[in-house]
Every structure is written in structure tokens, then in C-alpha cells.
Amino acid sequence: MAKRSNRYKKAAELVDRTKTYGLDEAVNLLKKFPAPKFDSTVTLSFALGVDPRKSDQMVRGSVSLPHGTGKKVRVVVFATGDAAKAAEAAGADRVGMADLIKEVQGGFTDFDVAIATPDAMAEVRKIARVLGPRGLMPNPKTGTVTDDTAKAIDAVKAGRIDYKIDKNGNVSAAIGKGSFDEVKLVENAQALVESLVKAKPATAKGNYIKAATVASSMNPGVKLDSSVYTAASA
């Protein structure tokens, strides 16, 4: 077992492992944890009752958090012509086509979001094996394949996040920073929950969200009461 710091142990002592918490109560508890020496990331994680091996039960989507993530989002755009110029004007960190693809093939993945125009996708698919496993592959379902590159950049920099189920049936996404006040964290969490509920596959049967946990970096997780996500699906 990993050796835990005294700070982590003090935080763990505040968590009642025999109970689940309402969202407001859980966030309030997180704010009481001894803070690390950096602005921690607050993450909301879900265990879903779907089979990710089945294509019709894949869960993925995007949501604009009302208060953003608190993180500087690094964006690259695969485009040429007017779409490339618009991306540069909108504040993309890197814009390119063949040159950018070559860099990614060489190991460059120092970015958070990749956006591409539809006509660029034939070339971008050549690096799908690099981008896909990192969750960086542009996808029309998340608004990252578009001719309106400026609008897409504005959305991701303003606080839109993408999420996707992993091979174990879990979804996890950042909902803000430890420095956020409780109201912002709760409202961001509610936005993510509502989006995830809407993303439920039509073929999913039984209990869709089996469990949910909210946690901040280097601190114990706090299990959420099922009312947090069943209310969103009512």
C-alpha cells in the first residue's frame, strides 16, 4: 500500500467511510481538508452500469461548466486557409496541418484539446493512434470537428470539458480547482451530472450510475449519495 502523508491522514479522518454524502455536504467537506502546496484539481468520478465493449453503450459527451475549470487550456488546431487564420486570431496555442501532424507523430502531445476542420480529418486520422488513447482525437460529437474554429476555441477556453467512458466503465472529469468557492464547485458538478445523465445510451438497462465520488488532488475521495444523480434523471 502507498505510504500516506500526515496531511492525507488528517483529511481521511474527516471522512465517514460508512456513509454517502449529499453534493453540498461533500464539497463542504473537501474545503475542510488540509490543502496541499498547490491549487488542487477537484474531480468528479462515476462508475457506470454499461458495457464499454459494446459500441452502442459507449458514453461520451461535452459540457460547458458555468464557472470554468480554473485551468489554462492548451489548444491545437489542424486547419488551413481562413479556418487557420480564425483559429490564430481566437488564441489557439498552435495551428498547422502537415507540420503539426509531423510533430505529433514525433511525440508532441503537450496540449489539452485538439480541434480540426472536417476537411482536415483525412490527414488527422493518420495520428489517431497517438491522439485516441490520450482522449485528444477531434470528434464532431464534442464540437471539436468544425469549420468554425474560433467558436470551438472560445468554448473550450471558457470551460467546456469533454468526457469519455474508459475500458472499466468509469467516467472522470475535472470540475474546478480547490480555490473555487463551494457554490461554483457544486454548480459545476451539477452541470456535469446532468450532461452525463443525458448521455445515457438507449440500450443501457438497469442502474446507469452505480456510484459517484468527488475528490481533490492528493486527498481521499468522498462518496456521493445516489440522490445527487437520480434527481438529475427525474
Side-chain angles (χ1 to χ4, degrees), residues 67-136:
H67 305 290
T69 62
K71 176 183 177 181
K72 183 182 183 298
V73 182
R74 299 162 298 176
V75 182
V76 301
V77 178
F78 298 94
T80 58
D82 290 341
K85 293 177 182 177
E88 290 173 351
D93 295 271
R94 293 288 301 278
V95 181
M97 196 60 221
D99 56 335
L100 187 53
I101 288 174
K102 187 175 181 180
E103 284 189 56
V104 173
Q105 288 173 327
F108 171 61
T109 56
D110 191 22
F111 50 92
D112 303 298
V113 178
I115 294 169
T117 54
D119 60 357
M121 284 304 293
E123 294 299 312
V124 174
R125 289 190 184 95
K126 295 178 180 178
I127 51 175
R129 290 185 179 180
V130 179
L131 299 181
R134 294 171 173 80
L136 296 172

Side-chain angles (χ1 to χ4, degrees), residues 102-213:
K102 187 175 181 180
E103 284 189 56
V104 173
Q105 288 173 327
F108 171 61
T109 56
D110 191 22
F111 50 92
D112 303 298
V113 178
I115 294 169
T117 54
D119 60 357
M121 284 304 293
E123 294 299 312
V124 174
R125 289 190 184 95
K126 295 178 180 178
I127 51 175
R129 290 185 179 180
V130 179
L131 299 181
R134 294 171 173 80
L136 296 172
M137 189 67 184
N139 188 300
K141 292 183 178 179
T142 60
T144 49
V145 176
T146 175
D147 285 315
D148 195 342
T149 54
K151 182 178 179 180
I153 292 168
D154 288 344
V156 296
K157 286 186 176 287
R160 196 198 73 196
I161 59 170
D162 300 326
Y163 56 84
K164 180 182 179 181
I165 194 170
D166 65 19
K167 64 180 181 181
N168 296 313
N170 302 316
V171 167
S172 183
I175 57 167
K177 291 290 186 178
S179 58
F180 281 23
D181 64 38
E182 293 178 29
V183 172
K184 289 181 179 179
L185 288 172
V186 168
E187 291 181 352
N188 277 358
Q190 289 171 333
L192 176 57
V193 170
E194 290 172 5
S195 177
L196 185 65
V197 168
K198 290 179 181 177
K200 179 181 179 179
T203 56
K205 305 298 181 184
N207 193 4
Y208 175 49
I209 300 179
K210 297 165 64 177
T213 303

